[in-house]
Amino acid sequence: MNMRPQARRSFSSFTAPPLEQQIALVSGANRGLGLEVVRQLAATGMAVLLGSRDLTLGERAAQRLRRDGIDVTAIQLDVTDQTGIDAAARYIENTYGRLDVLINNAGAYYDMGELPSSIDLDTVRAALETNLFGAWRVCEALLPLMRPFGFGRIVNVSSGCGSSAVDGECCPAYRVSKAALNTYTRTLAAELGGSGILVNAVCPGWTNTDMGGTGGRPASESAQGVVWAACLPAKSSITGGFFRDRQRIDW
Ligand code: NAP
């Protein structure tokens, strides 16, 4: 799949994939939805970096994929650790010279049972650190690997919970963090308008994972909407949107 204009490679490396192969990074990809997104992106032919805050868990996940014939590279990435993010960005630049697709999937603090009137604000801060600032930090570190090539796809994995159209008192920290991530998505998309870099938020829907528990749908189904936004074609003008299953949903 070649959806990208001819790119300049700033570093030569014998491990670098051919220019027509896109390079993708998925955060929080050692399990759950992120792992499935890695699997599906790799199936499109992309060279995929499987981000994991615990590299051992990331390597294990990558090995499981390799047993299924899917070759991906595990990379250490804790989205709350600026030094680690900078190191990951340097690794990507030195190895590939660019990044085409960034999936900000890492998410946490689904604070079911908490109430907005009584939740410990440390929990709210922690949720924002991962779900908002995590994606923000990673974007700031990696945009320099997209901008010079006039191409990029950034997908912020959000949640319908963060929609202002959805009322409710549960999960206040998570809800506020995803609403803020949605607003960040819109502002970044506006800044990058016309740059060739498309930025969208995607709600995967209720999914059977450690976070989602049971009763939701399989990650293989939920990942498809994320992969769709990651694979928007070269001429696409879809940016600054909020989607579930390829359909726009209310902010
Ligand atoms: P999950 O199974 O709990 O997986 C979360 C992933 O995020 C794990 O790999 C976890 O790593 C990683 N993570 C957490 N904090 C991190 C950090 N500081 N740095 C890097 N990675 C970190 O959750 P999931 O259901 O797959 O969720 C994936 C995304 O979908 C999240 O953004 C979530 O909010 C969103 N979402 C999920 C649902 C659902 O029903 N499941 C619905 C709507 C939206 P560790 O293994 O190291 O903890």
Side-chain angles (χ1 to χ4, degrees), residues 28 30-31 33 53 77-79 105 157-158 174 178 207 209:
N30 52 292
R31 62 187 166 95
L33 182 77
R53 60 177 160 178
L77 187 67
D78 180 339
V79 301
N105 167 76
V157 179
S158 185
Y174 182 79
K178 292 295 190 181
T207 310
T209 60

Side-chain angles (χ1 to χ4, degrees), residues 10-83:
S10 50
F11 287 85
S12 64
S13 162
F14 64 89
T15 58
L19 279 172
E20 64 273 12
Q21 187 178 30
Q22 294 198 337
I23 317 299
L25 169 66
V26 185
S27 68
N30 52 292
R31 62 187 166 95
L33 182 77
L35 180 58
E36 186 56 35
V37 170
V38 166
R39 181 192 296 277
Q40 293 186 18
L41 287 178
T44 71
M46 291 185 194
V48 186
L49 294 156
L50 182 160
S52 176
R53 60 177 160 178
D54 180 331
L55 188 57
T56 307
L57 295 180
E59 296 281 13
R60 257 184 230 154
Q63 262 170 24
R64 283 201 301 278
L65 291 179
R66 273 182 218 117
R67 281 199 287 274
D68 295 341
I70 297 165
D71 195 13
V72 301
T73 303
I75 182 171
Q76 183 154 30
L77 187 67
D78 180 339
V79 301
T80 64
D81 170 19
Q82 186 66 56
T83 306

Side-chain angles (χ1 to χ4, degrees), residues 29 169 236:
E169 78 286 359
S236 176

Side-chain angles (χ1 to χ4, degrees), residues 10-244:
S10 50
F11 287 85
S12 64
S13 162
F14 64 89
T15 58
L19 279 172
E20 64 273 12
Q21 187 178 30
Q22 294 198 337
I23 317 299
L25 169 66
V26 185
S27 68
N30 52 292
R31 62 187 166 95
L33 182 77
L35 180 58
E36 186 56 35
V37 170
V38 166
R39 181 192 296 277
Q40 293 186 18
L41 287 178
T44 71
M46 291 185 194
V48 186
L49 294 156
L50 182 160
S52 176
R53 60 177 160 178
D54 180 331
L55 188 57
T56 307
L57 295 180
E59 296 281 13
R60 257 184 230 154
Q63 262 170 24
R64 283 201 301 278
L65 291 179
R66 273 182 218 117
R67 281 199 287 274
D68 295 341
I70 297 165
D71 195 13
V72 301
T73 303
I75 182 171
Q76 183 154 30
L77 187 67
D78 180 339
V79 301
T80 64
D81 170 19
Q82 186 66 56
T83 306
I85 291 169
D86 292 342
R90 270 196 308 278
Y91 168 80
I92 296 168
E93 181 171 25
N94 291 337
T95 309
Y96 305 103
R98 68 176 206 278
L99 185 72
D100 303 295
V101 171
L102 169 61
I103 313 289
N104 287 308
N105 167 76
Y109 299 97
Y110 189 68
D111 51 331
M112 184 83 94
E114 297 287 358
L115 291 170
S117 60
S118 53
I119 185 171
D120 184 335
L121 288 185
D122 285 345
T123 306
V124 182
R125 280 189 200 95
L128 289 168
E129 272 301 322
T130 299
N131 298 348
L132 172 64
F133 298 128
W136 201 321
R137 279 185 202 99
V138 175
C139 283
E140 287 199 359
L142 291 170
L143 271 168
L145 299 187
M146 292 182 169
R147 273 196 159 112
F149 309 106
F151 183 91
R153 301 289 178 261
I154 296 175
V155 184
N156 292 328
V157 179
S158 185
S159 168
C161 254
S163 167
S164 51
V166 178
D167 286 328
E169 78 286 359
C170 88
C171 314
Y174 182 79
R175 194 181 283 264
V176 167
S177 70
K178 292 295 190 181
L181 178 66
N182 285 352
T183 300
Y184 174 62
T185 302
R186 297 176 77 170
T187 57
L188 184 64
E191 178 193 341
L192 295 173
S195 70
I197 302 170
L198 308 179
V199 189
N200 290 292
V202 171
C203 169
W206 183 21
T207 310
N208 288 339
T209 60
D210 292 342
M211 180 186 286
T214 54
R217 58 186 183 178
S220 56
E221 218 175 287
S222 300
Q224 289 172 25
V226 177
V227 171
W228 165 78
C231 296
L232 289 169
K235 297 272 186 248
S236 176
S237 57
I238 297 176
T239 192
F242 188 19
F243 297 90
R244 183 187 296 124

